[in-house]
């Protein structure tokens, strides 16, 4: 049988604000290592030991490239991050709207069944930390045997503390005498501290990791029994979906009509085939800044530091400087996160209140919860430098071979100055090449395009001027990335 990792890369980017944003959520950020959490998740599964030799307990199984499910707005970043680590995905399914994990897994299961009727799915969120990869691989091997026989397996994390921020799974008797997996007795919501302490003492409660393994066919059979409307909507979304470059777009209307629910609520709490495998794998879902501090190795004073930071008399803090130098003096147990447009200072035991900040930004109609000043595009990125009445200045980077859409603006003119690299500029019927220190002017209403024909990144400064400077004043006439 073949194991197909399914990586769920959704998320709204609220709990790790201001670093995580709606268009750049935590799974697309390098939080623990120099690789993003999505990249780390993909590398963990593709690095499983030689399956054919059977040296990991996976004799008879092959692990395939991952299938990724993500939102439309993240598609190019997901594809680029997998390209960076040399891992072409089996596919990238695009959700037009978020509908929680049960529909996401359902469309992935249908996609896989069209490829392999015996497909075995390993469902993994893209934003988890797992420090003991060898133990994780062994858990996958144990789960594969149970899932191949028809079980819906979930990985229950062996608790190390009476954690109130996680749901729990209560295990029952072993599936068979001496088996690693146990039957699931029930799923438990996030408890209060006293209840969590009793769970820890009982010894048969595990943290609910949100990771699963089952046959695609079995999952859909269970979903049909418990959520037939959800299954019907997902079937229609896949059946009427279509290819878009290297992506598979789900049919928008059908998927939007799908009920929203988690795997736990939709299937796992009802099925008679749920089993839990205790997993001591150094797991964290990095659900807060304090959780990120816990999973990293601090200095001699317990400080986890990243970026240009000066400390004096500081202990047990997480300090992250993204753009500027940050100095912290005489404090302890704080989280300090600096970005280009926002700074967070919070006590470690208050970081769950970050969501209140995000809610405030939404209600105030601000944008700091949506995106950073640096915005990624399939051709590269742009970054706001200055803005004022009737003008704004941006720094633009175009990757080698990158090409912006052929477009025009109704309300603004643009001046481009090349800082480094080579720019091919289309302005009306004229095409010119610009190099370092050369510039050009794009009048209002003029059809234009910017390309990088070189082998090095193109960096330029753009000055926009006009009565309206919003990103929605772009009329795309032609686009290699097929954006509307």
């Amino acid at each position: 049988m073949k194991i197909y990792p399914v990586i769920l890369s959704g998320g709204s980017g609220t709990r790790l604000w201001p670093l995580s944003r709606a268009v750049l959520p935590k799974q697309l950020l390098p939080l623990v290592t120099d690789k993003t959490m999505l990249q780390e998740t993909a590398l963990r599964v593709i690095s499983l030991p030689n399956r054919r030799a059977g040296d990991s307990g996976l004799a008879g199984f092959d692990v395939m490239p991952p299938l990724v499910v993500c939102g439309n707005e993240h598609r190019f970043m997901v594809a680029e991050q997998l390209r960076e680590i040399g891992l072409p995905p089996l596919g990238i399914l695009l959700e037009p709207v978020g509908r929680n994990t049960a529909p996401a897994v359902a469309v992935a299961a249908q996609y896989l069944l069209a490829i392999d009727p015996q497909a075995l799915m390993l469902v993994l969120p893209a934003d988890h930390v797992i420090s003991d990869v060898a133990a994780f691989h062994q858990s996958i091997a144990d789960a594969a045997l149970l899932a191949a026989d028809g079980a819906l397996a979930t990985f229950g994390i062996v608790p190390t503390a009476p954690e109130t921020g996680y749901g729990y799974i209560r295990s029952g008797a072993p599936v068979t005498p001496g088996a690693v997996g146990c039957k699931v007795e029930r799923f438990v919501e996030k408890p209060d501290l006293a209840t969590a302490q009793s769970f820890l003492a009982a010894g048969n409660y595990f943290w609910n990791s949100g990771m699963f393994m089952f046959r695609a066919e079995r999952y859909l059979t269970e979903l049909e029994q418990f959520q037939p409307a959800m299954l019907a909507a997902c079937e229609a979304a896949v059946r009427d979906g279509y290819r878009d470059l290297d992506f598979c777009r789900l049919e928008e209307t059908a998927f939007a009509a799908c009920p929203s629910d988690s795997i736990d609520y939709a299937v796992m709490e009802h099925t008679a085939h749920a089993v839990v495998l205790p997993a001591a794998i150094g797991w964290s879902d990095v659900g807060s800044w304090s959780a990120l501090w816990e999973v990293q190795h601090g200095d001699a004073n317990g400080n986890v530091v990243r970026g240009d930071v000066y400390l004096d008399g500081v202990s047990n803090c997480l300090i992250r400087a993204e753009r500027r130098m940050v100095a912290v003096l005489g404090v302890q147990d704080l989280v300090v996160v600096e970005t280009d447009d926002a700074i967070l200072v919070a006590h470690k035991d208050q970081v769950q209140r970050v969501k209140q900040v995000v809610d405030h930004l939404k209600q105030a109609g601000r944008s700091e919860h949506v995106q950073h000043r640096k915005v990624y595009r399939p051709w590269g990125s742009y970054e706001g430098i200055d803005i004022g009445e009737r003008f704004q200045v941006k720094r633009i980077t175009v990757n080698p071979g990158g090409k912006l859409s052929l477009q025009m603006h109704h309300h603004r003119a643009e001046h481009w100055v090349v800082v480094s690299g080579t720019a091919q500029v289309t302005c009306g019927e004229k095409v010119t090449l610009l190099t370092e220190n050369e510039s050009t002017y794009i009048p209002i209403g003029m059809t234009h395009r910017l390309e990088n024909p070189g082998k090095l990144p193109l960096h330029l400064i753009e000055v926009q001027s006009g009565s309206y400077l919003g990103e929605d004043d772009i009329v795309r006439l032609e686009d290699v990335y097929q954006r509307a």
Side-chain angles (χ1 to χ4, degrees):
M1 295 184 68
K2 295 178 180 178
I3 296 174
Y4 295 84
V6 174
I7 300 178
L8 306 180
S9 186
S12 57
T14 59
R15 293 187 291 179
L16 293 183
W17 184 89
L19 193 60
S20 177
R21 309 283 175 101
V23 300
L24 191 63
K26 67 175 180 175
Q27 67 268 22
L28 302 178
L29 294 168
L31 293 179
V32 179
T33 70
D34 60 348
K35 294 182 175 61
T36 69
M37 302 189 80
L38 170 66
Q39 290 173 328
E40 292 284 6
T41 301
L43 290 171
R44 273 197 298 270
V45 292
I46 209 65
S47 66
L48 277 162
N50 188 307
R51 279 75 61 190
R52 294 191 184 280
D55 56 1
S56 69
L58 280 169
F61 294 95
D62 272 326
V63 179
M64 307 305 291
L67 173 65
V68 182
V69 184
C70 70
N72 177 64
E73 66 276 16
H74 301 148
R75 65 193 188 281
F76 292 114
M77 286 181 284
V78 167
E80 174 62 17
Q81 290 189 7
L82 294 176
R83 186 201 63 79
E84 286 176 355
I85 60 174
L87 183 55
L90 181 70
I92 300 177
L93 298 180
L94 302 182
E95 296 178 298
V97 292
R99 284 295 179 262
N100 214 317
T101 54
V105 175
V107 294
Q110 291 163 42
Y111 184 92
L112 292 176
L113 280 182
I115 299 172
D116 180 358
Q118 301 298 316
L120 196 60
M121 303 175 66
L122 173 62
V123 179
L124 303 170
D127 57 356
H128 290 181
V129 168
I130 294 175
S131 60
D132 192 339
V133 176
F136 176 58
H137 288 171
Q138 185 57 55
S139 293
I140 292 174
D142 294 335
L145 297 175
L146 295 171
D149 284 338
L152 281 76
T154 184
F155 299 84
I157 305 302
V158 178
T160 56
E163 176 61 56
T164 60
Y166 298 142
Y168 284 72
I169 300 170
R170 187 172 77 185
S171 66
V175 176
T176 57
V180 176
C182 297
K183 296 179 180 178
V184 172
E185 285 196 352
R186 68 184 180 101
F187 287 80
V188 184
E189 296 291 336
K190 298 175 182 178
D192 58 28
L193 180 59
T195 304
Q197 289 171 336
S198 70
F199 290 170
L200 195 64
N204 66 329
Y205 285 83
F206 303 95
W207 293 338
N208 187 354
S209 69
M211 300 187 295
F212 304 90
M213 199 167 192
F214 35 65
R215 292 172 66 166
E217 177 272 333
R218 167 64 78 179
Y219 175 74
L220 295 178
T221 297
E222 298 297 291
L223 192 64
E224 183 176 27
Q225 179 180 352
F226 303 116
Q227 292 284 343
M230 181 182 294
L231 178 63
C234 291
E235 286 178 339
V238 174
R239 181 187 65 243
D240 299 332
Y242 55 96
R243 300 294 300 181
D244 178 1
L245 300 176
D246 294 329
F247 310 104
C248 178
R249 288 187 178 273
L250 301 173
E251 201 283 320
E252 293 87 348
T253 302
F255 196 74
C258 180
S260 176
D261 213 344
S262 69
I263 298 178
D264 292 345
Y265 288 138
V267 174
M268 297 299 289
E269 291 188 359
H270 309 289
T271 180
H273 304 284
V275 301
V276 58
L277 290 93
I281 56 178
W283 172 91
S284 172
D285 72 346
V286 196
S288 68
W289 284 112
S290 58
L292 182 61
W293 174 81
E294 290 172 356
V295 301
Q296 298 187 82
H297 298 293
D299 61 19
N301 295 312
N303 297 308
V304 173
V305 175
R306 188 160 180 163
D308 187 6
V309 175
Y310 172 80
L311 303 180
D312 186 3
V314 176
S315 62
N316 298 321
C317 289
L318 184 150
I319 301 101
R320 189 170 180 126
E322 295 295 311
R323 299 295 297 269
R324 291 161 287 186
M325 184 266 187
V326 173
V328 184
L329 310 175
V331 298
Q332 60 184 10
D333 298 321
L334 290 185
V335 169
V336 181
V337 182
E338 175 272 336
T339 68
D340 53 6
D341 61 351
I343 298 173
L344 170 71
V345 180
H347 197 277
K348 282 195 303 186
D349 65 6
Q350 297 296 314
V351 292
Q352 298 291 350
R353 295 167 63 184
V354 165
K355 188 177 184 299
Q356 298 176 21
V357 181
V358 175
D359 290 341
H360 164 75
L361 295 172
K362 291 178 180 178
Q363 293 168 7
R366 300 180 59 150
S367 63
E368 290 93 336
H369 65 291
V370 177
Q371 62 187 26
H372 292 274
R373 285 183 180 170
K374 185 173 185 179
V375 178
Y376 292 92
R377 290 289 185 258
W379 43 260
S381 64
Y382 69 85
E383 181 178 2
I385 299 175
D386 194 13
I387 188 168
E389 186 175 355
R390 294 183 62 86
F391 84 92
Q392 66 177 333
V393 183
K394 292 181 177 181
R395 180 186 293 112
I396 295 178
T397 300
V398 184
N399 297 328
K403 179 186 297 189
L404 279 68
S405 60
L406 183 67
Q407 58 186 252
M408 57 86 68
H409 310 296
H410 290 295
H411 304 287
R412 72 175 186 247
E414 297 175 343
H415 296 258
W416 296 342
V417 181
V418 176
V419 177
S420 64
T422 301
Q424 179 173 304
V425 178
T426 300
C427 186
E429 299 297 322
K430 185 179 179 181
V431 179
T432 58
L433 287 178
L434 302 179
T435 57
E436 185 172 330
N437 291 326
E438 294 184 322
S439 64
T440 191
Y441 171 66
I442 310 295
I444 292 176
M446 181 65 71
T447 299
H448 62 279
R449 166 177 272 160
L450 175 64
E451 304 176 49
N452 179 1
K455 297 183 181 299
L456 298 175
L458 164 64
H459 299 280
L460 59 83
I461 299 298
E462 176 184 78
V463 180
Q464 301 177 357
S465 60
S467 59
Y468 180 74
L469 306 174
E471 283 298 301
D472 53 350
D473 182 27
I474 298 178
V475 179
R476 289 194 175 97
L477 306 174
E478 179 184 310
D479 185 28
V480 297
Y481 307 108
Q482 298 182 16
R483 295 167 295 172

